[in-house]
Amino acid sequence: ADDFHSSHLKFINEGLHEFNAKVRALGGHLVTRKGTLPAAFESLNIAFPTETVTDGDAAQTNPSSSASSSSSSSSPPPSSSSPSLPYRLRAIYTHEETANRLARDRTERVVKWAARKGVTIHWYNQTGVTKNLKTRDGWAKLWAKEMNRAILPPPRDLCSCVNLTSDGLLWEEELEIVRDRKPEAMAGGESQ
C-alpha cells in the first residue's frame, strides 16, 4: 500500500519478536504466515487436522471490523441441528481495526471466507472506536465505557497442541519497499 513505510514493518517485526518471546516463555510458539488474506488463513486451515462440525457453529461477532490477527483452534461443541461442514481452523481472534479502503476490502474477503469455511471470528476493540454508528451522539460515553473495561490478565501457560511451522517475519525485500529508517520512529513491542 502507498501508505506503508519500512518503519511500519520494523515496528511490526519488533512487536512480533517480543510477543514470540513471551509466548515461548509460556510454552507456546508463534506461527506466522506470509501472503495475502484470506489465502494465509487458508494455508493454516490446510495445516490443521480435519474435523466436522455443523454450520450452526460458525459465527461472527462483528462483521464490520478487520480480521488481521492470529488464529486459534477452539470452538463451541457441535450441534446436531444442521448439516455438517468440514473445516480445520475453528476461530480467528483479532482486534478491530480502523483502516483504509484496502484494509476494509481485505476484511470483507476474510469475513466471506470464514463464513464459507465455518470459521468463527472474535473481534476485540482496542481503541474505543465504535464502528458504524448512525449518529455521533453519545460517542464519548461509549468510548469511556470501552476504555474503562478491565484488562484481561495474560495466560499463565499455553499449549502448542498443533505442530505448525512458521513462515517467519516479513522483510523489506519481500514487500518490495525501500528500507528507509526514520530515527524518530516508535519502536515496537510493549517494553518500549
Side-chain angles (χ1 to χ4, degrees), residues 58-121:
Q60 58 192 40
T61 57
N62 187 346
S64 67
S65 300
S66 171
S68 63
S69 193
S70 60
S71 63
S72 173
S73 58
S74 65
S75 73
S79 116
S80 58
S81 62
S82 305
S84 295
L85 295 173
Y87 76 98
R88 297 167 173 103
L89 184 67
R90 294 181 183 162
I92 298 168
Y93 293 83
T94 185
H95 66 278
E96 292 181 344
E97 187 175 37
T98 304
N100 60 20
R101 185 74 207 155
L102 184 67
R104 289 190 300 272
D105 291 346
R106 177 196 62 218
T107 297
E108 289 176 23
R109 290 191 310 271
V110 169
V111 166
K112 288 176 184 175
W113 174 86
R116 282 193 318 274
K117 297 293 182 175
V119 175
T120 303
I121 301 177

Side-chain angles (χ1 to χ4, degrees), residues 4-7 9-10 13 34 169-181:
F4 191 78
H5 186 269
S6 63
S7 62
L9 183 61
K10 180 178 180 289
N13 284 345
K34 295 179 181 179
L169 302 178
L170 280 170
W171 302 102
E172 289 91 347
E173 298 78 23
E174 294 172 277
L175 296 176
E176 299 179 1
I177 58 175
V178 175
R179 179 178 295 194
D180 177 24
R181 300 291 188 226

Side-chain angles (χ1 to χ4, degrees), residues 123-142:
W123 307 91
Y124 294 92
N125 189 323
Q126 67 175 4
T127 62
V129 173
T130 302
K131 297 189 148 203
N132 301 320
L133 290 174
K134 293 183 181 182
T135 175
R136 291 183 53 86
D137 293 344
W139 176 87
K141 286 182 184 177
L142 292 171

